Amino acid sequence: MRKLLFESLLHLPLTEPAPRLSDAAIEELSAAIEAASRRRLGRSLSIRAIDAGSCNGCELEMHALSNAFYDMERFGIRFVASPRHADVLLVTGPVTKNMREALERTYNATPAPKWVVALGDCARDGGYFAGSYAIIGGVSKVIPVDLHIPGCPPSPTDILRGLLALLEHVNTGGRAS
């Protein structure tokens, strides 16, 4: 035991390197999202996350937005538990046959104005799961999608950039792509 303790003091732990983005870049991006949401909604942006049958890769990156590095709540962006409180539905994964009705009900329960963001390649067209007997396909086959954020999985920074693009296009009256 003593040998292990001394070795752990001499050798650095094996970890992944920290993200390369500067704190200023993340803060600027998040501040732009906050300003755009306040212009459009008059308040902060509320997001309802929906897993329509994913492998949880996109969820890990999406929930990283709440960690100490990104801390999106300091800029007024927050996840909500009910679709009745949401402005954005952030849908991950290909839509499975079992989740189709739940996704439609969640969409119908969300008050207007509402936007749907398909997060990841699976949410676009089924990704690796396309062609499976249990998969309907991408989110757009079930509900209208306003924005697709590509990646398998997309990084938290890509998610923030996508939300900013959505709010900017909504402010100009267009649809994000």
Side-chain angles (χ1 to χ4, degrees):
M1 181 67 177
R2 219 164 91 180
K3 180 182 175 188
L4 288 175
L5 179 63
F6 286 126
E7 284 180 10
S8 68
L9 292 173
L10 297 175
H11 300 293
L12 295 174
L14 299 174
T15 60
E16 292 183 17
R20 297 259 185 241
L21 290 174
S22 68
D23 291 337
I26 294 295
E27 195 157 329
E28 181 180 325
L29 181 61
S30 298
I33 292 172
E34 181 184 21
S37 69
R38 295 222 183 262
R39 262 193 324 270
R40 176 65 175 115
L41 301 169
R43 57 181 164 73
S44 61
L45 186 67
S46 299
I47 300 171
R48 171 68 171 120
I50 303 168
D51 180 355
S54 75
C55 67
N56 288 335
C58 292
E59 281 81 8
L60 290 172
E61 297 299 316
M62 177 178 51
H63 291 298
L65 292 171
S66 297
N67 70 18
F69 183 77
Y70 295 99
D71 191 19
M72 68 179 191
E73 287 212 18
R74 67 184 159 157
F75 301 108
I77 305 167
R78 59 192 171 104
F79 287 107
V80 294
S82 171
R84 298 192 189 281
H85 302 147
D87 303 311
V88 175
L89 297 178
L90 195 58
V91 186
T92 60
V95 181
T96 63
K97 290 181 179 179
N98 292 339
M99 285 299 295
R100 178 187 191 122
E101 184 180 350
L103 182 59
E104 289 171 340
R105 284 183 176 194
T106 304
Y107 179 78
N108 293 332
T110 307
K114 60 185 166 190
W115 302 284
V116 177
V117 176
L119 183 63
D121 293 339
C122 293
R124 180 185 64 224
D125 59 7
Y128 290 115
F129 306 104
S132 169
Y133 67 92
I135 302 299
I136 292 171
V139 177
S140 61
K141 289 191 175 184
V142 179
I143 58 176
V145 173
D146 296 295
L147 174 69
H148 176 259
I149 301 174
C152 185
S155 69
T157 308
D158 291 339
I159 297 170
L160 286 174
R161 286 186 184 122
L163 291 173
L164 179 59
L166 175 72
L167 289 169
E168 286 176 347
H169 279 74
V170 166
N171 282 334
T172 61
R175 272 180 110 74
S177 56

